Amino acid sequence: MNADKAPRLLAIGGAHPDRRGRLNAPHIPATSNPGRMSEEVGGGIFNAARIASRRGAAVSLMSLRGGDAAGSAVARAIEDAGFEDLSATFLDRATPSYTAILDHDGELITGFADMALYDTAFPKQMRRSKARHAAEQADAILCDANMPEDAVARLAEIRADAPLYAIAVSPAKAGRLTASFPQIAVLFMNVREARSLAGLDDEAALPRAIEALRALGLSAGVITGGGGSVMIFTPEGLWQITPPRIDEIVDVTGAGDALTGATLTALMRGTPLPQAVREGVAASGLVIASASAAPEFDDTAFLAALERVPAPQPVS
């Protein structure tokens, strides 16, 4: 990579309408709960790519969409973000979407993913020359588990020298990445996803999960835990970063994606993973304090947020 040029990120995976319903009061199960609904184009890959772009990466994005109004909205959002759009449009299919229901504090109650197009079409897209050429031109590649297992494996084959990073997305989908663990440079996941991938229950100690993930061939990972510490592991060791307190949590949607995007840009500039994650934590805090999954911010706001993030601490 030429140091004078912006690092080029190829982002492949989910870019779709993100609908968020937030309750006005504490959640009462099995009944009608008053609240408000909002919608913007999101998806793990698109959200992470937008934050990576805010931090200086040049982004090429490859996703899938239908020939409907939602697909047109996704295309406009990618264009507005300034990305090279390598996505495929299927005129006879519906655009994937994700709907999240949040409690009155902004924490996720449940999510609903309608993403059949990703399952059926991503494997074919990874076999096309457009994907191979884009992978060869990238300084780094980011994918997510919205891609089926065989599509991720094919991406790992065509990536040339670019490191491959991945987002686990959810406990239900994260297992699609397991076969490609030896080829994944860093996996970004939350605590539930880490334990699920490790085959452990929800009460298992996190170091046990990390040990199991390493045994499966994953050399490095970043594990978030809501407002708790972020764990980072590499072949050299284990670290944690305790995020600073957020005075007002507006919406947690996209926080993990933001951490991924900002961390990746730092990695592409040569920052070691533990220190790069510190930049990711700063970006995540800006998202949590915003109603958008990828808010606009300048270097001044980012550096102010970064100053509040403590240095990574080794864990013995």
Side-chain angles (χ1 to χ4, degrees):
M1 181 180 66
N2 189 324
D4 295 330
K5 294 183 178 180
R8 177 155 293 280
L9 174 65
L10 173 60
I12 307 179
H16 48 254
D18 232 340
R19 304 180 182 101
R20 297 195 294 280
R22 181 164 176 171
L23 305 187
N24 293 337
H27 178 233
I28 302 175
T31 189
S32 176
N33 289 265
R36 58 194 183 278
M37 183 68 74
S38 62
E39 179 176 331
E40 68 175 334
V41 175
I45 284 296
F46 185 55
N47 290 339
R50 284 191 288 176
I51 298 300
S53 177
R54 306 261 196 278
R55 297 298 302 138
V59 176
S60 298
L61 189 140
M62 180 177 290
S63 190
L64 306 171
R65 54 182 177 258
D68 50 14
S72 297
V74 172
R76 287 194 300 272
I78 294 173
E79 181 180 6
D80 291 345
F83 300 163
E84 179 186 22
D85 189 3
L86 304 176
S87 305
T89 301
F90 294 79
L91 296 178
D92 60 339
R93 300 296 300 274
T95 298
S97 67
Y98 176 73
T99 302
I101 304 300
L102 311 173
D103 67 16
H104 67 298
D105 291 323
E107 296 292 339
L108 181 68
I109 296 173
T110 191
F112 178 77
D114 180 4
M115 300 182 179
L117 181 59
Y118 293 155
D119 295 337
T120 58
F122 262 129
K124 292 181 181 178
Q125 296 303 309
M126 291 302 99
R127 291 194 292 270
R128 295 188 170 176
S129 60
K130 179 190 287 188
R132 184 175 64 255
H133 178 73
E136 291 170 350
Q137 299 300 310
D139 294 312
I141 301 171
L142 175 65
C143 71
D144 67 19
N146 285 312
M147 299 173 65
E149 180 178 326
D150 53 347
V152 176
R154 175 60 179 165
L155 176 59
E157 291 176 1
I158 66 174
R159 65 187 170 89
D161 296 327
L164 175 63
Y165 303 96
I167 303 174
V169 174
S170 71
K173 293 183 177 181
R176 298 173 170 186
L177 302 170
T178 306
S180 296
F181 273 2
Q183 288 76 46
I184 293 174
V186 181
L187 176 61
F188 295 85
M189 64 201 119
N190 63 31
V191 172
R192 291 184 61 227
E193 291 155 358
R195 288 174 174 143
S196 175
L197 284 165
L200 301 173
D201 61 44
D202 291 343
E203 303 303 320
L206 203 49
R208 281 187 60 203
I210 292 171
E211 182 179 351
L213 292 173
R214 283 172 165 159
L216 290 169
L218 184 64
S219 61
V222 178
I223 306 174
T224 59
S229 294
V230 178
M231 303 293 291
I232 305 126
F233 67 92
T234 73
E236 290 74 37
L238 177 65
W239 295 263
Q240 69 177 12
I241 297 175
T242 302
R245 181 178 178 274
I246 305 298
D247 292 332
E248 182 181 0
I249 296 175
V250 177
D251 193 335
V252 299
T253 304
D257 304 330
L259 185 147
T260 299
T263 298
L264 276 189
T265 306
L267 287 172
M268 286 192 287
R269 291 203 162 103
T271 306
L273 181 60
Q275 288 73 33
V277 172
R278 183 169 171 262
E279 298 195 22
V281 172
S284 178
L286 291 171
V287 168
I288 291 170
S290 167
S292 171
E296 296 279 354
F297 57 80
D298 58 18
D299 287 346
T300 300
F302 179 79
L303 291 174
L306 184 61
E307 286 182 359
R308 300 182 63 232
V309 180
Q313 298 298 312
V315 177
S316 57

